Amino acid sequence: MYRRSLLGAALAAPALLAIPVRAQGTITLNGASQFGDDHPYTKALVRFEELVKQYYGKPVNFVLHKNSSLGLEKQYFEYMAQGRAVDYAIVSPAHMSTFSKAAPFVDAPFLFRDTAHWNAVLDQDMFKPVADEVEKRARVAMIGYGGGGVRNIFFNKRVTNLAGLKGLKVRVQGAPIWSRTFSAIGMSPTVIAYNEIYNAIQNNVIDGGENEAAGVEQMRFYEVAPQLSMTQHAITIRPLCVSTQVLGRLPNDLQAAIRRAGREASAFHRTAEAGADSQILETLEKGGRLHRVEFTERAEMKRLVDPVMAAYAREIDAEGILNRINALTA
């Protein structure tokens, strides 16, 4: 049923399906980004292209479709799972939940203590069982882990503590763990498309949303919700993904170049995004477009979320991963 619905959606967009993997004997790979040239995701994908060309050493074309011209990340992942239209992209793990219940666990709220802990988890490849499951069921390989943005909640009013959060409608990602954790904190989580957040806040459908600094800047969320509560509730992990159906049709040396480039481009992404976070917020604040609001009860927020995370880990058979993450000293 699901495959049929995906095929129906794809057939409704014949232009997407017409994009070839090979054109006139030269291999062409199509990528997609929701964002423009200045966003870390797009920069990482450009770096990926450069590295593949360097390591492959033979002609290969890359076409990167930017600014959501091929839809949003959820669609990119579905296209990669079909082996058509999008060959590579950076995708939030929340959009992989149809194929793997454990995928959204990769960057769930309050999973990491700080950036050092986050880096240590990635360096030890603790999410390999999740990546293996995604590759088996969705036929999409995670060839590198980017991200590094610290997520906070933006509102159209100042919120400094848990009492202020009570009952507020906040947009969250579609994976169940996000709704469950935000509900445990006392908020009213609402799932809407990423590109609808701005208008939803403007029209008082929701009170705010949560995002890392690069997203707040790129999507201009500060125009409708300039009060940024520094909840620091998550550090992003954004896998660089490749369709294994496409990968399997490529020469072995190109496959090797893609996998090597994926790891290195994702390391570049992590450094770029983590480094840009505070700089972006500082620039926005100095320009009077955004105000950082100290959130005084982060520890209490985490205490409310911990039982939800533990129950979720049991539900998706990820208790072992969670225990290893919690035990890791960084």
Side-chain angles (χ1 to χ4, degrees), residues 154-165:
F154 46 89
F155 291 111
N156 48 21
K157 62 179 181 179
R158 286 177 63 86
V159 177
T160 63
N161 54 32
L162 287 170
L165 290 175

Side-chain angles (χ1 to χ4, degrees), residues 268-291:
F268 166 86
H269 180 183
R270 287 157 61 181
T271 302
E273 186 157 343
D277 236 42
S278 56
Q279 184 181 347
I280 290 170
L281 295 182
E282 186 176 335
T283 301
L284 290 174
E285 194 163 40
K286 281 184 176 176
R289 292 176 284 179
L290 175 144
H291 305 285

